[in-house]
Amino acid sequence: LGADIELCLANPGTTEMPIVLALDTVPGIRPVLGLHETICTGAADGYGRIAGKPALVLLHLGPGLANGLANLHNARRARSPVVVLVGEHASWHMAADAPLAMEIEKLAETFSAAVERVASPEGIGPALRRAIASALARNGGVATLVVPHDHQIAVAGPGSPVPDAVPATPTAEERTVRDAAALLRSGQSGALILGGRALHGTGLELAGRIARRTGCALLGEVGFARLETGWGLPSVRRLPYFANEAQEALRRLRGVIGVGAKKPVSFFGWPGQPNRYLDGRDDVVWLAGPDEDAVDALERLADRLGAFEPWRPEPPDPLDLPTGALDAAKIAGVLAALQPEGAIIVPTAVTSAYPYSTIATRARPHTQLALTGGAIGEGPALAIGAALADPGRKVVNLEADGSCAYAMQAFWTQARERLDIVTIVCANQAYRILQLEMERAGMPWQGPAASGLTSLSRPPIGWARIAEAQGVPARRVETAEDLADGLRAALATRGPLLLEAVF
Ligand SMILES: Cc1ncc(C[n+]2csc(CCOP(=O)(O)OP(=O)(O)O)c2C)c(N)n1
Protein backbone atom coordinates (compact mmCIF):
# COMPACT_ATOMS: atom_id res chain seq x y z
CA LEU A 1 0.00 0.00 0.00
CA GLY A 2 2.84 2.37 0.87
CA ALA A 3 4.23 1.92 -2.63
CA ASP A 4 0.86 2.75 -4.23
CA ILE A 5 -0.03 -0.84 -5.17
CA GLU A 6 -3.81 -1.07 -5.63
CA LEU A 7 -4.48 -4.42 -7.28
CA CYS A 8 -3.65 -8.08 -6.70
CA LEU A 9 -4.49 -10.49 -9.55
CA ALA A 10 -4.42 -13.88 -7.97
CA ASN A 11 -4.78 -17.58 -8.40
CA PRO A 12 -3.62 -18.72 -4.98
CA GLY A 13 -2.87 -22.05 -3.35
CA THR A 14 -1.97 -23.18 0.15
CA THR A 15 1.48 -21.59 0.02
CA GLU A 16 0.02 -18.14 -0.75
CA MET A 17 -2.89 -18.10 1.69
CA PRO A 18 -1.05 -16.02 4.34
CA ILE A 19 -0.64 -13.26 1.72
CA VAL A 20 -4.33 -13.61 0.83
CA LEU A 21 -5.28 -13.29 4.52
CA ALA A 22 -3.10 -10.19 4.74
CA LEU A 23 -5.24 -8.55 2.05
CA ASP A 24 -8.13 -8.79 4.54
CA THR A 25 -6.06 -7.75 7.56
CA VAL A 26 -4.85 -4.59 5.84
CA PRO A 27 -7.55 -3.70 3.34
CA GLY A 28 -6.86 -1.37 0.42
CA ILE A 29 -5.48 -3.62 -2.28
CA ARG A 30 -8.25 -4.98 -4.56
CA PRO A 31 -8.11 -8.76 -4.92
CA VAL A 32 -9.22 -10.15 -8.31
CA LEU A 33 -9.43 -13.86 -9.00
CA GLY A 34 -8.41 -15.27 -12.38
CA LEU A 35 -9.51 -18.83 -13.13
CA HIS A 36 -6.24 -19.62 -14.87
CA GLU A 37 -2.89 -18.01 -14.24
CA THR A 38 -2.70 -16.80 -17.85
CA ILE A 39 -5.65 -14.51 -17.09
CA CYS A 40 -3.88 -13.03 -14.06
CA THR A 41 -0.62 -12.41 -15.90
CA GLY A 42 -2.26 -11.02 -19.06
CA ALA A 43 -4.42 -8.72 -16.92
CA ALA A 44 -1.32 -7.52 -15.06
CA ASP A 45 0.25 -6.69 -18.43
CA GLY A 46 -2.83 -4.67 -19.50
CA TYR A 47 -3.01 -2.94 -16.13
CA GLY A 48 0.68 -1.99 -16.23
CA ARG A 49 0.37 -0.56 -19.74
CA ILE A 50 -2.54 1.71 -18.81
CA ALA A 51 -1.82 2.49 -15.14
CA GLY A 52 1.94 2.93 -15.63
CA LYS A 53 2.53 1.19 -12.30
CA PRO A 54 2.57 -2.44 -11.26
CA ALA A 55 -0.18 -4.70 -10.01
CA LEU A 56 0.75 -7.70 -7.90
CA VAL A 57 0.26 -11.11 -9.46
CA LEU A 58 -0.03 -13.86 -6.86
CA LEU A 59 0.74 -17.34 -8.18
CA HIS A 60 1.08 -20.78 -6.71
CA LEU A 61 4.57 -22.29 -6.77
CA GLY A 62 6.34 -23.31 -10.00
CA PRO A 63 3.32 -24.90 -11.69
CA GLY A 64 1.20 -21.76 -11.20
CA LEU A 65 3.98 -19.58 -12.57
CA ALA A 66 4.44 -21.94 -15.52
CA ASN A 67 0.75 -21.58 -16.39
CA GLY A 68 1.09 -17.79 -16.45
CA LEU A 69 4.36 -17.66 -18.32
CA ALA A 70 3.27 -16.86 -21.91
CA ASN A 71 1.66 -13.59 -20.88
CA LEU A 72 4.61 -12.67 -18.67
CA HIS A 73 6.64 -13.06 -21.84
CA ASN A 74 4.22 -10.64 -23.56
CA ALA A 75 4.51 -8.29 -20.55
CA ARG A 76 8.30 -8.33 -20.81
CA ARG A 77 8.08 -7.38 -24.48
CA ALA A 78 5.59 -4.63 -23.61
CA ARG A 79 7.86 -3.23 -20.90
CA SER A 80 4.91 -3.46 -18.54
CA PRO A 81 5.65 -2.94 -14.87
CA VAL A 82 4.52 -6.14 -13.10
CA VAL A 83 5.40 -7.63 -9.71
CA VAL A 84 4.93 -11.38 -9.51
CA LEU A 85 4.74 -12.98 -6.08
CA VAL A 86 5.25 -16.72 -6.25
CA GLY A 87 4.51 -18.65 -3.11
CA GLU A 88 7.03 -21.33 -2.21
CA HIS A 89 7.11 -24.26 0.18
CA ALA A 90 8.34 -23.58 3.71
CA SER A 91 12.11 -23.28 3.50
CA TRP A 92 12.54 -26.26 5.88
CA HIS A 93 10.25 -28.37 3.61
CA MET A 94 12.27 -27.83 0.41
CA ALA A 95 14.63 -30.77 0.91
CA ALA A 96 11.63 -33.13 1.10
CA ASP A 97 11.01 -32.55 -2.64
CA ALA A 98 7.22 -32.46 -2.20
CA PRO A 99 5.02 -32.98 -5.29
CA LEU A 100 4.61 -29.30 -6.25
CA ALA A 101 8.30 -28.41 -5.82
CA MET A 102 9.87 -26.99 -8.96
CA GLU A 103 12.82 -24.75 -9.79
CA ILE A 104 10.92 -21.47 -9.77
CA GLU A 105 13.90 -19.22 -10.49
CA LYS A 106 14.69 -21.08 -13.71
CA LEU A 107 11.22 -20.29 -15.02
CA ALA A 108 11.30 -16.71 -13.78
CA GLU A 109 14.66 -15.87 -15.33
CA THR A 110 13.27 -16.14 -18.86
CA PHE A 111 10.97 -13.12 -18.52
CA SER A 112 12.06 -11.23 -15.39
CA ALA A 113 14.10 -8.06 -15.12
CA ALA A 114 14.79 -9.13 -11.52
CA VAL A 115 14.27 -12.35 -9.56
CA GLU A 116 14.72 -12.63 -5.81
CA ARG A 117 14.03 -15.33 -3.22
CA VAL A 118 13.08 -13.97 0.18
CA ALA A 119 15.46 -15.37 2.79
CA SER A 120 13.79 -14.31 6.07
CA PRO A 121 10.53 -12.85 7.38
CA GLU A 122 12.22 -9.45 7.83
CA GLY A 123 13.42 -9.67 4.25
CA ILE A 124 9.93 -9.58 2.71
CA GLY A 125 9.42 -5.81 2.98
CA PRO A 126 12.78 -4.70 1.56
CA ALA A 127 12.62 -7.38 -1.17
CA LEU A 128 9.14 -6.25 -2.20
CA ARG A 129 10.25 -2.62 -2.33
CA ARG A 130 13.23 -3.64 -4.50
CA ALA A 131 10.89 -5.62 -6.76
CA ILE A 132 8.56 -2.65 -7.23
CA ALA A 133 11.51 -0.38 -8.08
CA SER A 134 12.84 -2.99 -10.55
CA ALA A 135 9.41 -3.26 -12.19
CA LEU A 136 9.42 0.51 -12.78
CA ALA A 137 13.07 0.82 -13.88
CA ARG A 138 14.20 1.12 -17.51
CA ASN A 139 10.69 1.86 -18.80
CA GLY A 140 9.17 -1.15 -17.07
CA GLY A 141 9.72 -4.84 -16.55
CA VAL A 142 8.61 -7.92 -14.65
CA ALA A 143 10.06 -8.44 -11.18
CA THR A 144 9.53 -11.84 -9.56
CA LEU A 145 9.68 -12.50 -5.85
CA VAL A 146 9.68 -16.04 -4.47
CA VAL A 147 8.17 -16.02 -0.98
CA PRO A 148 8.51 -19.15 1.18
CA HIS A 149 5.47 -20.01 3.29
CA ASP A 150 7.30 -20.06 6.65
CA HIS A 151 8.48 -16.48 6.11
CA GLN A 152 4.94 -15.39 5.24
CA ILE A 153 3.53 -16.68 8.53
CA ALA A 154 6.37 -15.66 10.84
CA VAL A 155 6.18 -12.47 12.90
CA ALA A 156 8.40 -9.70 11.57
CA GLY A 157 8.98 -6.11 12.72
CA PRO A 158 7.19 -3.23 10.98
CA GLY A 159 8.46 -2.57 7.48
CA SER A 160 9.17 0.82 5.96
CA PRO A 161 6.24 2.13 3.94
CA VAL A 162 8.54 4.26 1.79
CA PRO A 163 9.06 2.88 -1.73
CA ASP A 164 12.61 2.51 -3.04
CA ALA A 165 13.81 5.11 -5.53
CA VAL A 166 13.51 4.07 -9.17
CA PRO A 167 16.85 4.45 -10.99
CA ALA A 168 16.89 7.07 -13.77
CA THR A 169 16.31 5.81 -17.31
CA PRO A 170 19.42 6.20 -19.52
CA THR A 171 19.23 9.04 -22.03
CA ALA A 172 20.54 9.42 -25.58
CA GLU A 173 24.00 10.85 -26.19
CA GLU A 174 24.08 14.38 -27.56
CA ARG A 175 26.07 13.19 -30.58
CA THR A 176 23.28 10.78 -31.51
CA VAL A 177 20.64 13.51 -31.23
CA ARG A 178 22.77 15.67 -33.53
CA ASP A 179 23.15 12.87 -36.08
CA ALA A 180 19.40 12.22 -36.06
CA ALA A 181 18.65 15.91 -36.58
CA ALA A 182 21.14 16.08 -39.46
CA LEU A 183 19.54 13.06 -41.12
CA LEU A 184 16.06 14.56 -40.85
CA ARG A 185 17.23 17.98 -42.03
CA SER A 186 18.72 16.53 -45.19
CA GLY A 187 15.27 16.95 -46.73
CA GLN A 188 14.90 13.39 -47.94
CA SER A 189 11.90 11.19 -47.22
CA GLY A 190 12.78 9.81 -43.81
CA ALA A 191 10.84 8.26 -40.95
CA LEU A 192 10.81 7.85 -37.22
CA ILE A 193 10.26 4.28 -36.06
CA LEU A 194 8.47 4.66 -32.75
CA GLY A 195 7.96 2.25 -29.86
CA GLY A 196 7.36 2.31 -26.11
CA ARG A 197 6.64 5.76 -24.73
CA ALA A 198 7.10 7.41 -28.10
CA LEU A 199 3.67 6.10 -29.13
CA HIS A 200 1.48 7.88 -26.61
CA GLY A 201 1.17 11.05 -24.55
CA THR A 202 4.03 13.55 -24.67
CA GLY A 203 6.18 11.21 -26.78
CA LEU A 204 3.59 11.02 -29.54
CA GLU A 205 2.93 14.74 -29.37
CA LEU A 206 6.67 15.43 -29.84
CA ALA A 207 6.87 12.95 -32.72
CA GLY A 208 3.95 14.77 -34.35
CA ARG A 209 5.77 18.09 -34.08
CA ILE A 210 8.92 16.61 -35.63
CA ALA A 211 6.85 15.10 -38.47
CA ARG A 212 5.24 18.47 -39.14
CA ARG A 213 8.57 20.28 -39.13
CA THR A 214 10.52 17.82 -41.30
CA GLY A 215 7.87 15.99 -43.31
CA CYS A 216 9.12 12.63 -42.04
CA ALA A 217 6.74 9.67 -41.76
CA LEU A 218 5.83 8.12 -38.39
CA LEU A 219 6.02 4.34 -38.22
CA GLY A 220 5.11 2.16 -35.24
CA GLU A 221 6.57 -1.19 -34.28
CA VAL A 222 4.34 -4.17 -35.15
CA GLY A 223 3.86 -5.31 -31.57
CA PHE A 224 3.41 -2.00 -29.80
CA ALA A 225 2.48 -1.85 -26.12
CA ARG A 226 0.31 1.24 -26.19
CA LEU A 227 -0.57 3.45 -29.12
CA GLU A 228 -2.73 6.55 -29.09
CA THR A 229 -4.32 7.09 -32.44
CA GLY A 230 -7.43 8.32 -34.20
CA TRP A 231 -8.47 11.46 -35.97
CA GLY A 232 -6.57 14.56 -34.89
CA LEU A 233 -3.59 12.67 -33.44
CA PRO A 234 -0.25 12.25 -35.23
CA SER A 235 -0.79 9.53 -37.78
CA VAL A 236 1.41 6.52 -37.07
CA ARG A 237 1.54 3.73 -39.63
CA ARG A 238 2.25 0.31 -38.16
CA LEU A 239 5.10 -1.54 -39.82
CA PRO A 240 3.72 -4.47 -41.85
CA TYR A 241 3.86 -7.93 -40.26
CA PHE A 242 5.01 -9.79 -43.38
CA ALA A 243 8.78 -9.57 -43.95
CA ASN A 244 8.79 -8.61 -47.62
CA GLU A 245 6.18 -5.89 -47.05
CA ALA A 246 8.08 -4.48 -44.08
CA GLN A 247 11.33 -4.52 -46.00
CA GLU A 248 9.69 -2.75 -48.93
CA ALA A 249 8.16 -0.07 -46.69
CA LEU A 250 11.58 0.61 -45.13
CA ARG A 251 13.54 0.38 -48.37
CA ARG A 252 11.74 3.40 -49.82
CA LEU A 253 12.79 5.60 -46.89
CA ARG A 254 15.91 7.75 -46.91
CA GLY A 255 16.87 8.18 -43.26
CA VAL A 256 15.45 6.04 -40.47
CA ILE A 257 15.52 7.09 -36.83
CA GLY A 258 14.53 4.73 -34.04
CA VAL A 259 12.96 6.04 -30.83
CA GLY A 260 11.82 3.73 -28.04
CA ALA A 261 11.71 0.71 -30.34
CA LYS A 262 14.05 -2.16 -31.12
CA LYS A 263 15.54 -2.27 -34.61
CA PRO A 264 12.80 -4.06 -36.54
CA VAL A 265 13.30 -7.73 -37.44
CA SER A 266 10.98 -10.28 -39.02
CA PHE A 267 8.85 -12.53 -36.80
CA PHE A 268 10.31 -15.65 -38.42
CA GLY A 269 13.28 -16.54 -40.57
CA TRP A 270 12.23 -17.59 -44.07
CA PRO A 271 14.82 -18.70 -46.64
CA GLY A 272 15.51 -15.92 -49.13
CA GLN A 273 13.54 -13.35 -47.12
CA PRO A 274 14.99 -10.43 -45.16
CA ASN A 275 15.11 -10.79 -41.38
CA ARG A 276 17.06 -7.78 -40.03
CA TYR A 277 15.48 -5.11 -42.15
CA LEU A 278 17.90 -2.27 -41.53
CA ASP A 279 21.21 -4.16 -41.71
CA GLY A 280 23.85 -2.71 -43.99
CA ARG A 281 22.31 0.76 -44.23
CA ASP A 282 24.21 3.92 -43.45
CA ASP A 283 21.15 6.15 -43.09
CA VAL A 284 19.95 4.73 -39.77
CA VAL A 285 20.32 6.40 -36.36
CA TRP A 286 19.05 4.69 -33.21
CA LEU A 287 18.24 7.53 -30.87
CA ALA A 288 16.74 5.47 -28.05
CA GLY A 289 16.14 1.75 -27.65
CA PRO A 290 13.40 0.23 -25.47
CA ASP A 291 15.57 0.60 -22.34
CA GLU A 292 16.22 4.28 -22.88
CA ASP A 293 14.29 7.49 -22.38
CA ALA A 294 12.35 7.98 -25.62
CA VAL A 295 10.50 11.10 -24.49
CA ASP A 296 13.71 12.88 -23.52
CA ALA A 297 15.26 11.91 -26.87
CA LEU A 298 12.28 13.28 -28.81
CA GLU A 299 12.28 16.47 -26.77
CA ARG A 300 15.93 17.13 -27.54
CA LEU A 301 15.49 16.24 -31.19
CA ALA A 302 12.47 18.54 -31.50
CA ASP A 303 14.43 21.38 -29.86
CA ARG A 304 17.34 20.94 -32.23
CA LEU A 305 15.03 20.95 -35.22
CA GLY A 306 12.99 23.91 -33.98
CA ALA A 307 9.91 21.69 -34.11
CA PHE A 308 7.54 23.69 -31.93
CA GLU A 309 4.32 23.63 -33.95
CA PRO A 310 1.88 20.87 -33.09
CA TRP A 311 0.91 18.15 -35.55
CA ARG A 312 -1.64 19.42 -38.06
CA PRO A 313 -4.27 16.80 -38.85
CA GLU A 314 -5.72 16.24 -42.30
CA PRO A 315 -9.39 17.18 -42.65
CA PRO A 316 -11.59 14.43 -41.17
CA ASP A 317 -12.49 11.57 -43.45
CA PRO A 318 -15.86 10.27 -42.21
CA LEU A 319 -16.33 6.54 -41.93
CA ASP A 320 -19.35 4.86 -43.51
CA LEU A 321 -20.94 1.86 -41.86
CA PRO A 322 -20.42 -1.27 -43.96
CA THR A 323 -23.34 -3.54 -44.86
CA GLY A 324 -23.90 -7.19 -45.75
CA ALA A 325 -22.24 -10.48 -44.78
CA LEU A 326 -19.31 -10.01 -42.39
CA ASP A 327 -15.62 -10.22 -43.13
CA ALA A 328 -12.61 -8.83 -41.27
CA ALA A 329 -12.68 -5.50 -43.13
CA LYS A 330 -16.35 -4.96 -42.33
CA ILE A 331 -15.84 -5.80 -38.65
CA ALA A 332 -13.06 -3.20 -38.61
CA GLY A 333 -15.30 -0.71 -40.38
CA VAL A 334 -18.15 -1.12 -37.89
CA LEU A 335 -15.87 -0.84 -34.88
CA ALA A 336 -13.95 2.17 -36.20
CA ALA A 337 -17.19 4.00 -37.06
CA LEU A 338 -18.91 3.39 -33.71
CA GLN A 339 -16.17 3.30 -31.07
CA PRO A 340 -16.48 6.14 -28.57
CA GLU A 341 -13.82 8.75 -27.96
CA GLY A 342 -11.29 7.64 -25.37
CA ALA A 343 -11.99 3.92 -25.74
CA ILE A 344 -9.25 1.39 -25.11
CA ILE A 345 -9.17 -1.02 -28.05
CA VAL A 346 -7.33 -4.33 -27.76
CA PRO A 347 -6.94 -5.50 -31.38
CA THR A 348 -5.38 -8.92 -30.82
CA ALA A 349 -7.39 -10.69 -33.57
CA VAL A 350 -4.37 -11.70 -35.71
CA THR A 351 -5.50 -11.66 -39.41
CA SER A 352 -8.87 -10.17 -38.53
CA ALA A 353 -7.20 -7.18 -36.86
CA TYR A 354 -5.10 -6.12 -39.87
CA PRO A 355 -7.85 -4.07 -41.55
CA TYR A 356 -8.58 -2.38 -38.23
CA SER A 357 -4.95 -1.18 -37.93
CA THR A 358 -5.31 0.79 -41.14
CA ILE A 359 -8.74 2.27 -40.59
CA ALA A 360 -8.30 3.11 -36.89
CA THR A 361 -6.39 6.33 -37.66
CA ARG A 362 -9.75 7.67 -38.90
CA ALA A 363 -11.70 6.62 -35.79
CA ARG A 364 -12.28 8.84 -32.75
CA PRO A 365 -9.11 9.27 -30.67
CA HIS A 366 -8.43 6.16 -28.62
CA THR A 367 -5.74 3.93 -27.11
CA GLN A 368 -4.74 0.57 -28.57
CA LEU A 369 -2.95 -2.28 -26.79
CA ALA A 370 -1.40 -4.83 -29.16
CA LEU A 371 0.14 -8.25 -28.73
CA THR A 372 3.79 -7.47 -28.06
CA GLY A 373 5.41 -10.88 -27.73
CA GLY A 374 3.44 -12.87 -30.29
CA ALA A 375 2.13 -15.30 -27.64
CA ILE A 376 -1.54 -15.42 -28.65
CA GLY A 377 -4.44 -15.70 -26.24
CA GLU A 378 -3.88 -12.53 -24.26
CA GLY A 379 -6.65 -10.20 -25.50
CA PRO A 380 -9.46 -10.98 -23.01
CA ALA A 381 -6.97 -10.77 -20.14
CA LEU A 382 -5.35 -7.54 -21.40
CA ALA A 383 -8.87 -6.11 -21.55
CA ILE A 384 -9.44 -7.04 -17.88
CA GLY A 385 -6.27 -5.23 -16.86
CA ALA A 386 -7.12 -2.15 -18.91
CA ALA A 387 -10.64 -1.98 -17.47
CA LEU A 388 -9.31 -2.33 -13.92
CA ALA A 389 -6.73 0.40 -14.52
CA ASP A 390 -9.19 2.91 -15.96
CA PRO A 391 -12.82 2.00 -15.18
CA GLY A 392 -14.09 5.19 -16.81
CA ARG A 393 -13.11 4.09 -20.32
CA LYS A 394 -14.90 1.58 -22.53
CA VAL A 395 -12.67 -1.34 -23.46
CA VAL A 396 -13.23 -3.24 -26.72
CA ASN A 397 -11.30 -6.44 -27.39
CA LEU A 398 -11.23 -7.35 -31.07
CA GLU A 399 -10.25 -10.97 -30.68
CA ALA A 400 -9.78 -13.99 -32.96
CA ASP A 401 -11.47 -17.27 -32.14
CA GLY A 402 -8.27 -19.32 -32.02
CA SER A 403 -6.62 -16.77 -29.74
CA CYS A 404 -9.71 -16.43 -27.55
CA ALA A 405 -9.78 -20.16 -26.93
CA TYR A 406 -6.62 -19.82 -24.81
CA ALA A 407 -8.35 -17.33 -22.54
CA MET A 408 -11.95 -18.49 -22.27
CA GLN A 409 -11.94 -18.24 -18.47
CA ALA A 410 -11.47 -14.47 -18.72
CA PHE A 411 -15.20 -13.88 -19.21
CA TRP A 412 -15.97 -15.11 -15.71
CA THR A 413 -13.64 -12.49 -14.20
CA GLN A 414 -15.12 -9.85 -16.52
CA ALA A 415 -18.61 -10.73 -15.26
CA ARG A 416 -17.66 -11.03 -11.61
CA GLU A 417 -15.87 -7.67 -11.49
CA ARG A 418 -18.54 -6.04 -13.74
CA LEU A 419 -15.86 -4.75 -16.08
CA ASP A 420 -16.90 -2.47 -18.94
CA ILE A 421 -15.55 -4.66 -21.75
CA VAL A 422 -17.04 -5.54 -25.13
CA THR A 423 -15.46 -8.54 -26.82
CA ILE A 424 -15.91 -9.05 -30.54
CA VAL A 425 -14.84 -12.60 -31.39
CA CYS A 426 -13.91 -12.82 -35.07
CA ALA A 427 -15.04 -16.40 -35.64
CA ASN A 428 -13.40 -17.37 -38.92
CA GLN A 429 -13.17 -20.91 -37.51
CA ALA A 430 -9.51 -21.33 -38.39
CA TYR A 431 -5.96 -20.60 -37.42
CA ARG A 432 -6.05 -18.51 -40.59
CA ILE A 433 -2.61 -16.92 -40.23
CA LEU A 434 -0.94 -20.32 -40.27
CA GLN A 435 -2.74 -21.23 -43.51
CA LEU A 436 -1.85 -17.85 -44.97
CA GLU A 437 1.83 -18.19 -44.09
CA MET A 438 1.88 -21.61 -45.81
CA GLU A 439 0.17 -20.17 -48.90
CA ARG A 440 2.71 -17.36 -49.08
CA ALA A 441 5.58 -19.85 -48.80
CA GLY A 442 4.04 -22.05 -51.52
CA MET A 443 3.48 -24.92 -49.09
CA PRO A 444 0.21 -26.85 -49.39
CA TRP A 445 -1.80 -26.95 -46.18
CA GLN A 446 -4.80 -28.87 -47.55
CA GLY A 447 -3.60 -32.31 -46.39
CA PRO A 448 -5.57 -33.94 -43.56
CA ALA A 449 -2.97 -33.12 -40.89
CA ALA A 450 -2.33 -29.52 -41.89
CA SER A 451 -5.96 -28.67 -42.58
CA GLY A 452 -7.08 -30.51 -39.45
CA LEU A 453 -4.54 -28.75 -37.27
CA THR A 454 -5.40 -25.29 -38.60
CA SER A 455 -9.20 -25.61 -38.70
CA LEU A 456 -11.54 -24.83 -35.78
CA SER A 457 -14.78 -25.74 -37.56
CA ARG A 458 -15.22 -29.35 -36.45
CA PRO A 459 -17.05 -28.79 -34.17
CA PRO A 460 -17.67 -25.02 -34.32
CA ILE A 461 -17.11 -23.24 -31.00
CA GLY A 462 -20.24 -21.56 -29.58
CA TRP A 463 -18.75 -18.28 -28.35
CA ALA A 464 -22.01 -16.70 -27.29
CA ARG A 465 -22.81 -19.76 -25.17
CA ILE A 466 -19.32 -19.80 -23.65
CA ALA A 467 -19.74 -16.18 -22.56
CA GLU A 468 -23.29 -16.65 -21.28
CA ALA A 469 -22.26 -19.70 -19.26
CA GLN A 470 -19.89 -17.42 -17.33
CA GLY A 471 -22.34 -14.59 -16.78
CA VAL A 472 -21.52 -12.37 -19.78
CA PRO A 473 -24.47 -11.53 -22.05
CA ALA A 474 -23.78 -12.30 -25.71
CA ARG A 475 -25.12 -12.11 -29.24
CA ARG A 476 -24.25 -14.02 -32.40
CA VAL A 477 -24.11 -11.87 -35.56
CA GLU A 478 -23.46 -12.63 -39.23
CA THR A 479 -23.99 -9.26 -40.93
CA ALA A 480 -22.44 -5.83 -40.57
CA GLU A 481 -25.86 -4.39 -39.74
CA ASP A 482 -26.35 -6.84 -36.84
CA LEU A 483 -22.83 -6.24 -35.59
CA ALA A 484 -23.48 -2.48 -35.62
CA ASP A 485 -26.75 -2.99 -33.71
CA GLY A 486 -25.07 -5.21 -31.16
CA LEU A 487 -22.15 -2.85 -30.72
CA ARG A 488 -24.40 0.19 -30.32
CA ALA A 489 -26.36 -1.63 -27.62
CA ALA A 490 -23.13 -2.71 -25.90
CA LEU A 491 -21.74 0.82 -25.98
CA ALA A 492 -24.95 2.24 -24.53
CA THR A 493 -24.69 0.12 -21.37
CA ARG A 494 -21.95 -0.60 -18.86
CA GLY A 495 -20.60 -4.06 -18.18
CA PRO A 496 -19.20 -6.94 -20.17
CA LEU A 497 -20.80 -8.19 -23.37
CA LEU A 498 -19.64 -10.52 -26.14
CA LEU A 499 -20.46 -10.34 -29.84
CA GLU A 500 -19.75 -13.52 -31.77
CA ALA A 501 -19.05 -12.31 -35.32
CA VAL A 502 -19.29 -15.30 -37.62
CA PHE A 503 -17.88 -15.28 -41.15
C1 LIG B 1 1.10 -19.14 -27.21
C2 LIG B 1 1.10 -19.38 -28.67
N1 LIG B 1 0.74 -20.60 -29.14
C3 LIG B 1 0.72 -20.81 -30.46
C4 LIG B 1 1.06 -19.85 -31.35
C5 LIG B 1 1.13 -20.13 -32.83
N2 LIG B 1 0.05 -19.42 -33.51
C6 LIG B 1 0.25 -18.22 -34.07
S1 LIG B 1 -1.09 -17.63 -34.78
C7 LIG B 1 -1.99 -19.00 -34.36
C8 LIG B 1 -3.41 -19.14 -34.74
C9 LIG B 1 -4.16 -17.86 -34.83
O1 LIG B 1 -5.52 -18.14 -35.05
P1 LIG B 1 -6.61 -17.10 -34.61
O2 LIG B 1 -6.27 -16.56 -33.30
O3 LIG B 1 -7.95 -17.72 -34.78
O4 LIG B 1 -6.41 -15.92 -35.67
P2 LIG B 1 -6.47 -15.98 -37.27
O5 LIG B 1 -5.13 -16.41 -37.71
O6 LIG B 1 -7.55 -16.93 -37.66
O7 LIG B 1 -6.76 -14.58 -37.68
C10 LIG B 1 -1.22 -19.90 -33.66
C11 LIG B 1 -1.73 -21.19 -33.14
C12 LIG B 1 1.44 -18.59 -30.82
N3 LIG B 1 1.81 -17.57 -31.59
N4 LIG B 1 1.42 -18.39 -29.48
Side-chain angles (χ1 to χ4, degrees):
L1 273 174
D4 197 26
I5 299 282
E6 294 183 291
L7 176 67
C8 180
L9 297 145
N11 190 273
T14 306
T15 42
E16 296 72 41
M17 284 314 289
I19 295 176
V20 171
L21 297 176
L23 294 174
D24 280 331
T25 313
V26 185
I29 295 180
R30 178 174 178 177
V32 172
L33 179 60
L35 297 187
H36 186 286
E37 292 82 350
T38 198
I39 309 301
C40 303
T41 54
D45 182 5
Y47 179 89
R49 295 193 207 182
I50 294 293
K53 65 178 188 178
L56 298 177
V57 183
L58 185 59
L59 302 176
H60 184 50
L61 293 142
L65 180 59
N67 274 350
L69 205 147
N71 283 336
L72 289 170
H73 158 82
N74 285 327
R76 174 176 84 88
R77 293 278 180 195
R79 319 291 309 199
S80 293
V82 176
V83 173
V84 184
L85 300 181
V86 188
E88 171 66 295
H89 285 306
S91 48
W92 50 264
H93 190 46
M94 292 300 293
D97 191 28
L100 280 156
M102 212 173 153
E103 292 184 81
I104 298 172
E105 282 92 336
K106 280 197 176 156
L107 291 174
E109 271 157 18
T110 63
F111 58 80
S112 299
V115 184
E116 186 171 341
R117 174 174 287 256
V118 172
S120 68
E122 295 73 24
I124 293 182
L128 184 54
R129 291 203 306 276
R130 273 193 294 280
I132 293 167
S134 297
L136 289 165
R138 292 187 167 260
N139 297 317
V142 182
T144 304
L145 206 58
V146 184
V147 197
H149 184 257
D150 51 338
H151 302 333
Q152 292 177 40
I153 58 176
V155 175
S160 158
V162 182
D164 281 10
V166 178
T169 312
T171 52
E173 289 193 17
E174 198 51 37
R175 189 163 34 92
T176 319
V177 180
R178 198 180 53 222
D179 291 349
L183 203 55
L184 283 176
R185 270 205 213 99
S186 64
Q188 298 167 327
S189 55
L192 302 182
I193 297 189
L194 306 172
R197 289 173 195 219
L199 284 172
H200 58 91
T202 311
L204 182 67
E205 195 258 319
L206 288 162
R209 284 204 242 152
I210 294 168
R212 173 161 181 186
R213 175 78 181 166
T214 66
C216 72
L218 301 179
L219 299 176
E221 52 189 358
V222 183
F224 56 79
R226 174 177 171 177
L227 166 72
E228 268 155 28
T229 188
W231 186 79
L233 289 168
S235 176
V236 177
R237 216 157 17 98
R238 193 174 180 177
L239 270 175
Y241 165 78
F242 291 115
N244 56 338
E245 292 173 13
Q247 178 78 353
E248 184 53 28
L250 293 168
R251 197 185 54 77
R252 280 191 256 117
L253 299 168
R254 293 285 157 267
V256 177
I257 288 147
V259 196
K262 279 182 68 165
K263 276 195 184 166
V265 300
S266 61
F267 256 65
F268 301 105
W270 292 96
Q273 296 262 346
N275 70 328
R276 295 169 179 269
Y277 303 139
L278 297 175
D279 268 12
R281 289 177 62 153
D282 57 9
D283 62 344
V284 173
V285 174
W286 226 251
L287 200 50
D291 277 352
E292 288 154 343
D293 191 334
V295 176
D296 170 80
L298 286 167
E299 208 149 35
R300 285 156 60 202
L301 181 60
D303 278 353
R304 235 174 215 280
L305 292 164
F308 304 118
E309 302 274 328
W311 166 263
R312 190 174 36 205
E314 302 280 313
D317 185 5
L319 289 159
D320 295 326
L321 273 174
T323 56
L326 281 174
D327 59 25
K330 290 184 192 175
I331 294 173
V334 171
L335 176 56
L338 297 182
Q339 66 184 69
E341 178 156 358
I344 299 173
I345 311 288
V346 183
T348 43
V350 196
T351 57
S352 299
Y354 295 160
Y356 180 74
S357 265
T358 318
I359 202 172
T361 51
R362 293 163 58 197
R364 294 179 190 88
H366 63 281
T367 301
Q368 287 183 28
L369 310 182
L371 197 66
T372 49
I376 62 170
E378 191 183 25
L382 272 179
I384 289 175
L388 287 166
D390 199 343
R393 296 170 76 181
K394 196 85 186 179
V395 180
V396 182
N397 177 206
L398 183 63
E399 188 55 296
D401 49 1
S403 297
C404 201
Y406 294 74
M408 290 186 184
Q409 305 89 334
F411 300 117
W412 183 85
T413 299
Q414 294 184 7
R416 181 187 229 207
E417 302 294 327
R418 296 195 196 85
L419 301 176
D420 200 12
I421 300 170
V422 185
T423 305
I424 302 173
V425 177
C426 302
N428 64 2
Q429 301 182 24
Y431 285 166
R432 181 65 194 134
I433 185 68
L434 303 187
Q435 299 171 345
L436 207 59
E437 300 257 27
M438 293 305 104
E439 282 164 21
R440 292 171 67 93
M443 298 170 173
W445 58 266
Q446 282 81 1
S451 71
L453 293 183
T454 59
S455 157
L456 304 177
S457 62
R458 281 181 297 116
I461 302 172
W463 288 103
R465 281 180 290 144
I466 283 172
E468 278 164 356
Q470 296 175 74
V472 170
R475 248 195 231 189
R476 186 177 189 278
V477 294
E478 294 183 23
T479 64
E481 289 87 341
D482 283 352
L483 178 63
D485 274 356
L487 191 54
R488 274 197 204 95
L491 296 174
T493 52
R494 270 191 68 86
L497 190 137
L498 182 139
L499 296 165
E500 175 180 357
V502 182
F503 58 103

